[in-house]
Amino acid sequence: MLAEATGSKYDTDLQKVFEIRAKISDIHSFFHRLFPIAVVEDDSFLVFDLDSSGERYTLAKKAPSPLPIPTGIRAAFPLECYGNRAACVVSGDVFESLEGYVTIFHEFMHCHQWATCEQGLKEKLTVAQEALSRQDYSWEINYPFPYTNRRFTKTYSLFLQALAEKDSGAIAKSRRRLQRILPQPDYEYLVWQEWKEGFARFIENRIRRRLALPENHYGQETPFHRITFYEGGAGYIEYLTGQHPELATNPEALFYKMFSRTPENPVSGDSAADFR
C-alpha cells in the first residue's frame, strides 16, 4: 500500500534510470551497482530501492527529514532513517531533464565512495578529524580554504594550464609546489575535494559526452572557490587514469596517488605511508 499510495507517480521516472544505464554501462564498471534514491517531498524522504530483481525501484520507506531540505537538492549522503545507507538525495524535478539523470549517476559515484573507502580515508585526514572533534559536520562545504592567496592562485592556475596542455613535467612541478606552500590541513582539504568531487565530475563528463550533452567545466575561472577543485580534480584524474588505467576502478589507490608528491612515479610506489 505504501508504494501504491505515494510512489507510483515516480515509477516511470525511476525506470528511466535503467534505460540511461543501458546506454552508458560500458563507461565504467561502477554502473553495475545502483543505490537508493531518496526523493524529498513535503519535508519527507521517499526512499526508493531496488527490488529483488535488481531491475526496478520501489518505495521502501517514507520518513520525515531531520532538517529542512532545500528545493532542487542534488546530493548523496547516508540516511539515518535507512540504516545509514548512502543514497542519492534529490527533489522530484531532477527527473524533468536528461541532465537530471546525469546528476543521479554523478551522485551514485559518491554513494560508491561512501560504500567502499571514504570513511577509512577520512580517519587518516587531520582536517576531517579536527572537524569531527568540533562536531563540524559541514567542513567539506565550509572549510576556510585560502582561495585568494596569491601563491596558491598562481600555482593552481599553472596546474590547470598544465592539465589542459597534458604537460607531465609541469603537472608534477605544480603538485610538488602545492604541497610545499599549503599547510597540511589545507593540502588535505584540496586533495580530498579533488578526489571526491573530481571523480564524480570525471565520470559525469564521460556520461555527458556519450549522451551528446555539453560537458561541465564550471569552476575553472578565477576567482577560485570550492568548485574549482571539482574541475581540477576531474582533469587530474583523467590525466592519472590515462597513465595508470587501473586507478579508475580503485578509488582508494587513486586518492593516495593524488596525494602523492610525485605523481609521475609508478602506482606500486604509493601507499598510505606516503600520506602519513
Side-chain angles (χ1 to χ4, degrees):
M1 292 298 294
L2 181 63
E4 292 178 3
T6 56
S8 59
K9 70 177 181 179
Y10 292 113
D11 283 351
T12 301
D13 296 328
L14 289 163
Q15 199 60 26
K16 192 172 180 180
V17 171
F18 300 96
E19 297 173 14
I20 300 297
R21 182 175 69 167
K23 297 178 181 179
I24 64 173
S25 61
D26 62 315
I27 290 177
H28 203 289
S29 61
F30 288 175
F31 292 145
H32 294 304
R33 181 179 182 182
L34 300 181
F35 291 86
I37 298 174
V39 180
V40 179
E41 186 175 282
D42 298 327
D43 294 323
S44 294
F45 291 127
L46 303 179
V47 184
F48 296 89
D49 208 346
L50 300 171
D51 66 8
S52 58
S53 72
E55 296 297 330
R56 186 176 184 83
Y57 276 103
T58 59
L59 185 62
K61 190 177 185 67
K62 180 178 181 180
S65 59
L67 297 170
I69 304 294
T71 301
I73 185 171
R74 309 286 189 265
F77 51 82
L79 296 177
E80 185 176 357
C81 68
Y82 202 54
N84 283 319
R85 291 180 60 191
C88 169
V89 181
V90 294
S91 49
D93 60 314
V94 76
F95 302 117
E96 295 175 1
S97 69
L98 184 57
E99 291 204 352
Y101 285 92
V102 174
T103 300
I104 289 173
F105 283 96
H106 172 116
E107 300 302 342
F108 280 166
M109 294 301 100
H110 292 317
C111 293
H112 195 282
Q113 290 167 325
W114 173 269
T116 53
C117 62
E118 180 173 331
Q119 294 310 296
L121 291 174
K122 278 183 176 177
E123 290 175 0
K124 299 181 176 72
L125 284 172
T126 300
V127 66
Q129 294 307 303
E130 289 181 351
L132 184 62
S133 70
R134 299 190 304 270
Q135 296 185 322
D136 178 6
Y137 303 113
S138 300
W139 67 272
E140 292 179 73
I141 296 175
N142 300 326
Y143 182 78
F145 189 89
Y147 299 105
T148 59
N149 177 276
R150 292 177 62 184
R151 288 201 300 168
F152 166 73
T153 299
K154 179 180 179 180
T155 304
Y156 210 76
S157 294
L158 291 172
F159 172 62
L160 293 176
Q161 180 181 341
L163 288 173
E165 297 173 355
K166 298 180 174 57
D167 185 336
S168 297
I171 291 170
K173 182 178 179 180
S174 296
R175 297 308 290 188
R176 289 193 295 268
R177 180 165 174 78
L178 285 168
Q179 195 170 56
R180 286 198 306 270
I181 67 175
L182 291 173
Q184 180 77 3
D186 292 348
Y187 184 72
E188 289 180 356
Y189 181 78
L190 163 72
V191 178
W192 181 255
Q193 290 289 4
E194 288 179 325
W195 172 79
K196 184 173 180 178
E197 295 292 349
F199 182 77
R201 180 174 286 193
F202 165 67
I203 296 298
E204 174 190 337
N205 279 333
R206 287 190 167 190
I207 298 172
R208 286 174 172 272
R209 288 195 290 270
R210 174 65 57 84
L211 300 180
L213 292 171
E215 292 187 25
N216 180 6
H217 293 291
Y218 174 66
Q220 61 186 345
E221 67 287 335
T222 55
F224 291 151
H225 43 81
R226 178 170 55 90
I227 311 302
T228 300
F229 300 153
Y230 299 20
E231 180 66 9
Y236 194 27
I237 290 168
E238 184 166 1
Y239 167 76
L240 289 175
T241 56
Q243 300 288 316
H244 309 287
E246 65 273 22
L247 290 176
T249 54
N250 189 334
E252 184 172 7
L254 176 63
F255 176 81
Y256 289 126
K257 190 65 176 175
M258 296 176 75
F259 198 94
S260 172
R261 178 188 293 270
T262 53
E264 70 276 12
N265 285 349
V267 174
S268 59
D270 296 320
S271 68
D274 296 321
F275 179 72
R276 292 191 294 269

